[in-house]
């Protein structure tokens, strides 16, 4: 509630003793002082805000100066670093908006065009190691946002990255530096939203490096590399199917040895889940048929069924059922299953999922799948002489306990033909 002018005058009288100030005159003094300070400065700053393109050009100028610094020079001593930090924060605010206002479409389009018109986008990635932590966070969000910014209904980031694919080399190699890995990893996942970028990374030598990045001792870095690897292997279906068809042998040798048979529980759990996602995708039907025709792959899956973790057991079951459902099982696959039939049937007789952590429909589907697997195993007939010994030893009952890792299941009616 505004204070009456008479009350203000009374306060003034108390301060100035017997000096009398007329209410109207005092009101004019307050108004004049107020306009001359806060309000005036606020509107003045808004009126003087630089156009988006000009801000980006200034950022580019400062980044070029940072990039030119010798490696033995501390970037924090750069006299314009504070201005660069401020401008990067302003760019991020323009792209994301705030609690008070949404981002302006025209401003975002101008920013995006200017970033990709010159080499600003390249500089902002290359100069990341020389920025402080807060600036790195802002850059990470800026790069991520620019991948989704349309200009004239087109994602111009895709065209730029196709012509500058070497930047992906820089981002993937960022996993070698724990201090930068999470920033570069986030940027990389946003860039591979573009199919042309994902294809480049899939067909590069970097794919083999991911199997090592996912086993880095630093847990957060390994988890980030795993998230990027999963994105590469699941986002663009046709590109992934083409990649797996052309690189099947080395890819699954690495996948099996370094992930499925890893000594690390988290690695095994994430790998078997991802394997199920890959093989159960319709785009990868040819790859699935090839995978479930290998006795070495069957051996790995049967060992995973013996895991103490119920989560791994369940994910392994969703892949194992594909071996059983294959109507054209090779002889060695049939004979391995028949040789272990009695123990497999005992295993599945007591194999349950935790009903407290699953939906009724999921439990029903699991039971239907398990019943079909048991039926197929029971009716399977050996082809030729069996092996002299059992290759895979199963416990009589599942020993695992723990929370169910919720997964959609695929009916066994979708059998391989």
């Amino acid at each position: 509630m505004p204070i009456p002018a008479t009350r203000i005058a009374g306060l003034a009288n108390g301060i100035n003793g017997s000096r009398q100030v007329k209410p109207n005159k005092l009101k004019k003094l307050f108004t004049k002082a107020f306009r001359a300070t806060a309000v005036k400065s606020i509107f003045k700053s808004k009126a003087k805000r630089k156009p988006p393109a000009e801000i980006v050009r200034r950022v580019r100028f400062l980044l070029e100066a940072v990039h030119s610094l010798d490696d033995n020079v501390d970037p924090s001593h750069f006299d314009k670093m504070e201005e660069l930090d401020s401008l990067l924060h302003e760019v991020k605010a323009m792209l994301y908006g705030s609690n008070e206002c949404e981002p302006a479409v025209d401003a975002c389009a101008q920013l995006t065009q200017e970033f990709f018109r010159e080499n600003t986008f390249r500089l902002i990635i290359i100069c990341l190691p020389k920025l402080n932590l807060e600036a790195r966070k802002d850059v990470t969000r800026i790069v991520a946002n620019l991948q989704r910014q349309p200009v004239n209904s087109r994602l111009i980031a895709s065209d730029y990255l196709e012509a500058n694919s070497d930047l992906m080399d820089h981002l993937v190699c960022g996993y070698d530096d724990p201090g930068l890995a999470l920033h570069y990893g986030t940027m990389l996942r946003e860039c591979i939203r573009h199919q042309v970028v994902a294809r480049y990374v899939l067909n590069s030598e970097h794919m083999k490096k991911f199997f090592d990045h996912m086993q880095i001792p630093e847990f957060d870095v390994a988890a980030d590399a795993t998230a990027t690897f999963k994105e590469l292997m699941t986002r663009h279906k046709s590109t992934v199917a083409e990649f797996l068809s052309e690189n099947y042998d080395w890819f699954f040798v690495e996948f099996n040895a370094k992930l499925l048979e890893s000594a690390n529980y988290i690695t095994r759990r994430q790998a078997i889940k991802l394997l199920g996602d890959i093989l159960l995708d319709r785009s990868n039907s040819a790859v699935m048929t090839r995978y479930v025709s290998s006795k070495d792959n069957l051996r790995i899956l049967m060992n995973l069924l013996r895991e103490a973790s119920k989560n791994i057991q369940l994910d392994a079951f969703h892949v194992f059922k594909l071996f059983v459902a294959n109507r054209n099982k090779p002889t060695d696959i049939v004979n391995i299953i028949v040789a272990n039939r009695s123990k497999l049937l005992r295993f599945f007789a007591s194999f349950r999922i935790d009903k407290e952590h699953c939906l009724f429909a999921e439990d029903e589907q699991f039971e239907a799948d398990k019943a079909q697997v048991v039926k197929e195993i029971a009716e399977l007939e050996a082809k030729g002489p069996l092996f002299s010994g059992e290759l895979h030893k199963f416990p009589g009952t599942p020993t695992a306990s723990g929370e169910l890792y919720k997964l959609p299941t695929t009916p066994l009616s979708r059998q391989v033909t």
Side-chain angles (χ1 to χ4, degrees), residues 2 8 20 47-48 68 123 152 165 213 237 256 321 364 402:
I8 295 175
Q20 297 294 321
K48 282 194 171 182
S68 66
L123 281 169
N152 297 325
S165 55
H213 293 324
K237 309 296 186 182
N256 290 346
K321 68 187 181 184
E364 273 196 334

Side-chain angles (χ1 to χ4, degrees), residues 77-361:
H77 295 160
F78 178 51
D79 59 349
K80 297 294 185 181
M81 189 61 77
E82 186 175 344
E83 180 188 358
L84 177 59
D85 294 346
S86 177
L87 288 174
L88 290 173
H89 192 73
E90 185 175 358
V91 169
K92 186 196 73 172
M94 294 177 71
L95 289 171
Y96 286 91
S98 64
N99 294 332
E100 290 77 24
C101 62
E102 294 291 322
V105 176
D106 290 342
C108 289
Q110 292 176 43
L111 275 174
T112 304
Q113 282 183 308
E114 193 61 34
F115 257 100
F116 293 117
R117 178 176 290 125
E118 299 289 343
N119 63 342
T120 312
F121 189 84
R122 173 179 293 275
L123 281 169
I124 207 171
I125 290 177
I126 300 299
C127 292
L128 191 74
K130 296 183 177 181
L131 304 180
N132 60 49
L133 180 58
E134 289 305 313
R136 290 177 184 177
K137 291 179 180 178
D138 287 341
V139 166
T140 301
R141 296 196 67 190
I142 289 169
V143 170
N145 189 285
L146 289 173
Q147 307 311 308
R148 303 188 294 271
Q149 284 293 341
V151 177
N152 297 325
S153 303
R154 292 181 64 254
L155 294 176
I156 63 174
S158 179
D159 297 334
Y160 178 88
L161 292 175
E162 183 177 11
N164 296 270
S165 55
D166 62 295
L167 286 174
M168 297 305 100
D169 304 333
H170 195 87
L171 293 180
V172 177
C173 291
Y175 281 117
D176 295 328
D177 186 340
L180 299 171
L182 301 185
H183 299 293
Y184 278 139
T186 301
M187 295 182 202
L188 180 59
R189 282 192 297 279
E190 291 296 328
C191 289
I192 60 180
R193 293 166 63 92
H194 310 298
Q195 190 165 9
V196 65
V197 176
R199 182 180 292 109
Y200 172 81
V201 178
L202 284 169
N203 293 321
S204 71
E205 287 299 313
H206 298 305
M207 279 304 294
K208 294 182 180 179
K209 296 179 182 179
F210 270 103
F211 292 102
D212 297 322
H213 293 324
M214 288 186 282
Q215 300 182 79
I216 291 174
E218 291 81 4
F219 175 79
D220 54 346
V221 177
D224 193 275
T226 301
T228 304
F229 183 77
K230 180 180 179 180
E231 186 76 0
L232 278 167
M233 298 307 304
T234 56
R235 174 171 282 275
H236 304 288
K237 309 296 186 182
S238 61
T239 301
V240 171
E242 180 182 349
F243 164 77
L244 289 175
S245 297
E246 296 175 356
N247 300 273
Y248 178 92
D249 291 328
W250 75 261
F251 179 85
F252 281 108
V253 166
E254 294 285 290
F255 193 97
N256 290 346
K258 293 185 176 180
L259 302 184
L260 289 180
E261 296 184 303
S262 169
N264 186 288
Y265 161 76
I266 297 296
T267 301
R268 295 196 307 277
R269 178 174 173 180
Q270 292 175 330
I272 187 60
K273 171 65 170 66
L274 178 57
L275 179 64
D277 292 341
I278 292 172
L279 297 183
L280 289 168
D281 193 291
R282 292 182 182 275
S283 301
N284 299 322
S285 58
V287 173
M288 180 193 70
T289 301
R290 188 173 177 182
Y291 190 89
V292 301
S293 298
S294 166
K295 65 178 181 181
D296 292 329
N297 295 339
L298 177 60
R299 173 188 61 80
I300 293 171
L301 265 295
M302 292 176 77
N303 285 332
L304 288 172
L305 282 173
R306 300 177 58 226
E307 283 272 354
S309 165
K310 197 63 173 278
N311 299 312
I312 291 181
Q313 281 187 328
L314 182 59
D315 289 335
F317 167 73
H318 291 313
V319 178
F320 175 77
K321 68 187 181 184
L322 299 176
F323 287 86
V324 178
N326 185 4
R327 290 300 185 189
N328 299 307
K329 302 179 189 67
T331 299
D332 49 2
I333 296 292
V334 173
N335 290 344
I336 289 174
I337 295 176
V338 171
N340 291 274
R341 177 173 15 226
S342 60
K343 291 188 176 181
L344 280 169
L345 294 178
R346 286 200 301 272
F347 171 81
F348 285 120
S350 53
F351 184 39
R352 301 283 188 276
I353 61 175
D354 190 347
K355 296 184 178 182
E356 293 182 1
H357 299 93
C358 73
L359 300 175
F360 177 74

